[in-house]
Amino acid sequence: MTEALPEIQTEDTGSKGRYFLRGPAGAEAEMTFSKAGDQMIIIDHTEVPDAFRGQGAGLRLVTRAVEDARAAGKKIIPLCPFANAQFRRHPEWADVLKS
């Protein structure tokens, strides 16, 4: 049985922000983004430490950004190689992908 991951938290500093999971011993998996105007975010970095490897933490972070963007009517530019790969694997996210 896989141990449940902690809840995804967010931080928003105005022009930038991040989604993150805080785990045991202070380990954090995070996905950072920048805002490009009011209707677009740029996912620029995803980092998953060893404490979270193999648990789907990175995918959960990107999925949460997609859900939030969809709810807010925003588009995403996935500059981060990991996020970009996830968008290629999930064609159902095309509605939030900035083309």
Side-chain angles (χ1 to χ4, degrees), residues 60-75:
R60 280 191 60 210
L61 293 168
V62 178
T63 301
R64 172 68 183 273
V66 168
E67 291 167 352
D68 288 355
R70 188 175 282 142
K74 295 182 179 183
K75 296 289 186 179

Side-chain angles (χ1 to χ4, degrees), residues 5 26-27 33 35-36 41 51 54 59 68-69 74-75 78 83 92-93 99:
L5 286 172
F33 63 89
K35 295 179 183 176
I41 67 166
L59 175 58
D68 288 355
K74 295 182 179 183
K75 296 289 186 179
E92 68 274 18
W93 295 349
S99 51

Side-chain angles (χ1 to χ4, degrees), residues 30-65:
E30 75 171 353
M31 184 197 70
T32 60
F33 63 89
S34 298
K35 295 179 183 176
D38 292 333
Q39 296 302 311
M40 194 171 337
I41 67 166
I42 300 166
I43 297 175
D44 47 36
H45 180 72
T46 304
E47 186 170 341
V48 177
D50 289 341
F52 288 106
R53 297 242 185 247
Q55 299 176 52
L59 175 58
R60 280 191 60 210
L61 293 168
V62 178
T63 301
R64 172 68 183 273

Side-chain angles (χ1 to χ4, degrees), residues 11-29:
E11 287 180 354
D12 190 329
T13 61
S15 63
K16 296 182 180 284
R18 73 182 187 132
Y19 291 89
F20 64 99
L21 296 162
R22 190 166 285 137
E28 284 187 353

